[in-house]
Amino acid sequence: FAWLPKNYLQSTIQFYKNPIHSKSLLAYPEQFFHIKKKFVPSWNILNDKNSLSIFFPPIDRPLKSYVNGKDSDMFGFGYTRPPEIVENYYANRSRGFEKQSDKIFWELSFASCPFSCLESINGVQEEFDLGDDSHEFNIHSRCQKLGYDLWIDGDSVVQC
């Protein structure tokens, strides 16, 4: 489950409208939460195609607003990536789109790329699928060789 900020889609469109980003990968900072089991009445609901939510009651606002002390339904922040960008966001010091080093890992949990990127590398090479995060590495490293750069949207923190 992820709570996308209101500006997520508009921000992504704005980024890719700029022609200098035609060869850019875009990632979004992530803030992770832990949830108490009582908030999910049954894990079987994950397979229920008629369910509109796996949570009871349904989540209807940003996850951070559910955290209010030790008795809250959600607790802790797990971890954030990258931590300094998430901290800047909550301290109202966000710098918007920031170009990243080529050495930074491109997280595909919440990321965007132009379709032309996937076309130019002929999709994902399944034989390189070594488990968790292998697709991110696969796409990022191959696109880097073709001149793609990496950016992060410091104004769109995804809560998951």
Side-chain angles (χ1 to χ4, degrees):
F1 180 84
W3 186 272
L4 302 176
K6 288 181 182 180
N7 65 320
Y8 180 84
L9 186 57
Q10 296 87 346
S11 186
T12 303
I13 291 170
Q14 174 193 350
F15 179 81
Y16 283 112
K17 273 187 177 180
N18 187 332
I20 68 166
H21 296 303
S22 65
K23 291 188 85 171
S24 295
L25 306 174
L26 181 62
Y28 307 89
E30 302 168 328
Q31 182 176 23
F32 292 84
F33 293 80
H34 299 283
I35 188 168
K36 290 185 178 177
K37 285 185 178 180
K38 71 173 188 169
F39 210 51
V40 180
S42 167
W43 293 111
N44 293 333
I45 202 164
L46 292 172
N47 297 315
D48 182 354
K49 294 181 176 34
N50 295 315
S51 176
L52 296 177
S53 177
I54 63 168
F55 302 109
F56 184 79
I59 290 176
D60 60 358
R61 60 187 188 271
L63 302 179
K64 188 171 183 173
S65 66
Y66 284 88
V67 178
N68 58 5
K70 66 178 183 175
D71 294 326
S72 65
D73 291 326
M74 293 191 193
F75 60 94
F77 293 128
Y79 63 98
T80 59
R81 0 174 227 227
E84 66 281 356
I85 291 180
V86 174
E87 289 167 17
N88 286 340
Y89 174 79
Y90 287 113
N92 293 317
R93 296 187 308 253
S94 173
R95 295 187 297 264
F97 299 114
E98 295 182 41
K99 189 170 183 182
Q100 302 295 296
S101 155
D102 290 342
K103 306 276 188 261
I104 299 289
F105 178 68
W106 181 53
E107 180 58 52
L108 247 183
S109 297
F110 299 95
S112 301
C113 68
F115 189 74
S116 60
C117 166
L118 299 176
E119 284 182 318
S120 65
I121 63 170
N122 198 23
V124 176
Q125 297 297 328
E126 297 293 334
E127 66 269 14
F128 296 138
D129 187 358
L130 303 174
D132 187 36
D133 294 333
S134 61
H135 291 309
E136 291 98 323
F137 180 76
N138 181 329
I139 294 171
H140 183 206
S141 61
R142 292 168 58 217
C143 286
Q144 274 184 314
K145 292 176 183 173
L146 297 175
Y148 283 80
D149 55 12
L150 175 62
W151 292 73
I152 195 159
D153 182 356
D155 289 333
S156 297
V157 174
V158 176
Q159 299 176 23
C160 34

